[in-house]
């Protein structure tokens, strides 16, 4: 498969003999963006799965094992690294212009011959939560939306994460007090009227990386707008779930996606 969006495709070693991996380079707004594409080797028509990573730069990078885990549930998975990462052009913008990297990756999935383009799901982990929400706001071509430990409010992130403030001031240009509009533009809570798909929220109540308040705020607003929202909150869990519960939650959430 080589859609017109993909300009380079390089095979990548897969830990699973049933899943094929490629590092792809694709175009977005004139920039070359890199990402990881995972597809089941078995012929067939699969649901698409857009995986939107957390973190920034080398923190929270796309993990091969995680992508293969989702592909093994019967999806073609595309995981953009975002601009400025892993040899891609431009600079990462922390839920700014790089939201379009996610949209272009969605187009790439739609053009994939093994993907049912009417059944593409969007998944965001941590900072990827904001990216996933913006994707669902900017396009109606998706089936469902899942946020796991997802950021929804950039001002709240600035307040909670002292360790990220320096980076946020550098990328965004200053503090929320100085540039409220820049933070608002990066906060999808103000545009949720545009979300037209079922939403699933997964969050550990002891999460100190992204507090559960992010999920509460999103759930409250979606309910006010009478949107289809489901929330799974876990009392004892932090940002990272124990391995057994992690696997079980992956199975549950992919079943939830397929039933939409």
């Amino acid at each position: 498969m080589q859609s017109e969006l993909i300009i380079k495709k390089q095979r990548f070693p897969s830990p699973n003999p049933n899943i094929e991996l490629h590092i792809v380079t694709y175009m977005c707004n004139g920039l070359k963006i890199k990402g990881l594409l995972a597809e089941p080797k078995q012929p067939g028509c699969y649901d698409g799965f857009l995986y939107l990573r957390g973190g920034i730069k080398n923190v929270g990078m796309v993990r091969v094992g995680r992508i293969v885990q989702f592909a093994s549930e019967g999806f073609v998975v595309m995981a953009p690294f975002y601009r400025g990462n892993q040899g891609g052009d431009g600079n990462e913008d922390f839920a700014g212009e790089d939201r379009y990297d996610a949209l272009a990756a969605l187009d790439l999935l739609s053009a994939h011959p093994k993907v049912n383009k009417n059944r593409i799901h969007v998944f965001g982990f941590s900072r990827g939560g904001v990216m996933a929400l913006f994707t669902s706001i900017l396009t109606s071509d998706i089936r469902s939306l899942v946020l796991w430990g997802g950021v929804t409010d950039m001002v709240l992130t600035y307040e909670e994460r002292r360790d990220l403030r320096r980076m946020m001031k550098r990328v965004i240009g200053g503090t929320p007090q100085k540039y409220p509009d820049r933070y608002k533009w990066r906060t999808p809570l103000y545009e949720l009227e545009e979300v037209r798909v079922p939403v699933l929220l997964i969050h550990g109540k002891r999460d100190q990386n992204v507090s559960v308040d992010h999920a509460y705020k999103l759930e409250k607003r979606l309910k006010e707008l009478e949107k289809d929202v489901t929330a799974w909150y876990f009392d004892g869990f932090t940002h990272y779930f124990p391995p057994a519960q992690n696997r079980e939650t992956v199975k549950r959430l992919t079943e939830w996606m397929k039933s939409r």
Side-chain angles (χ1 to χ4, degrees), residues 9-252:
K9 193 176 177 193
Q10 194 178 345
R11 193 176 286 277
F12 192 84
S14 175
N16 184 324
N18 301 313
I19 303 296
E20 204 168 80
L21 291 179
H22 288 93
I23 300 284
V24 295
T25 306
Y26 65 99
M27 297 303 294
C28 175
N29 298 348
L31 298 174
K32 293 175 185 173
I33 314 294
K34 291 183 178 285
L36 184 66
L37 178 68
E39 53 191 290
K41 285 185 179 173
Q42 196 71 21
C45 186
Y46 297 91
D47 282 19
F49 188 114
L50 179 63
Y51 180 97
L52 298 170
R53 54 160 284 210
I56 187 167
K57 297 294 182 191
N58 291 326
V59 177
M61 266 308 295
V62 171
R63 288 189 298 118
V64 169
R66 193 64 161 158
I67 303 310
V68 167
Q69 187 182 23
F70 283 115
S72 301
E73 295 295 333
F75 295 89
V76 174
V77 184
M78 176 61 196
F81 299 153
Y82 308 142
R83 58 189 60 189
N85 282 303
Q86 306 291 297
D89 294 343
N91 291 306
E92 196 170 353
D93 196 21
F94 209 61
E97 294 293 336
D98 50 5
R99 66 188 68 179
Y100 299 108
D101 303 348
L103 270 184
L106 188 72
D107 291 341
L108 190 154
L109 267 178
S110 291
H112 195 292
K114 279 187 178 176
V115 172
N116 178 346
K117 67 179 182 188
N118 298 313
R119 293 198 54 82
I120 299 178
H121 311 271
V122 179
F123 173 94
F125 177 71
S126 196
R127 166 268 179 100
V130 175
M131 306 293 281
L133 279 165
F134 278 127
T135 304
S136 73
I137 287 164
L138 292 165
T139 181
S140 55
D141 296 337
I142 62 172
R143 197 76 181 197
S144 74
L145 177 64
V146 176
L147 273 69
W148 188 332
V151 170
T152 64
D153 185 330
M154 293 303 256
V155 175
L156 186 56
T157 298
Y158 185 89
E159 289 168 355
E160 291 177 346
R161 294 292 300 272
R162 289 175 176 271
D163 57 323
L164 295 182
R165 286 180 187 175
R166 197 168 165 190
M167 175 277 293
M168 291 179 80
K169 283 189 281 192
R170 175 177 54 78
V171 173
I172 299 171
T175 65
Q177 291 72 31
K178 192 171 182 183
Y179 295 110
D181 288 351
R182 295 184 187 182
Y183 281 79
K184 187 177 180 181
W185 179 64
R186 286 172 163 82
T187 297
L189 293 174
Y190 302 102
E191 301 175 61
L192 296 177
E193 290 83 358
E194 303 302 319
V195 175
R196 298 177 189 88
V197 294
V199 180
L200 171 63
L201 306 177
I202 302 167
H203 220 109
K205 289 188 179 177
R206 295 177 63 185
D207 192 334
Q208 292 185 331
N209 294 55
V210 180
S211 77
V212 72
D213 290 336
H214 285 265
Y216 290 158
K217 287 179 93 164
L218 177 58
E219 183 188 16
K220 180 174 181 284
R221 184 68 185 128
L222 287 171
K223 283 182 172 172
E224 285 169 1
L225 294 168
E226 298 183 344
K227 302 291 184 180
D228 182 348
V229 57
T230 303
W232 300 344
Y233 296 119
F234 294 83
D235 287 336
F237 295 172
T238 63
H239 202 50
Y240 304 101
F241 287 25
Q245 287 84 350
N246 194 316
R247 286 191 298 273
E248 185 192 329
T249 305
V250 164
K251 202 135 197 80
R252 279 181 69 201

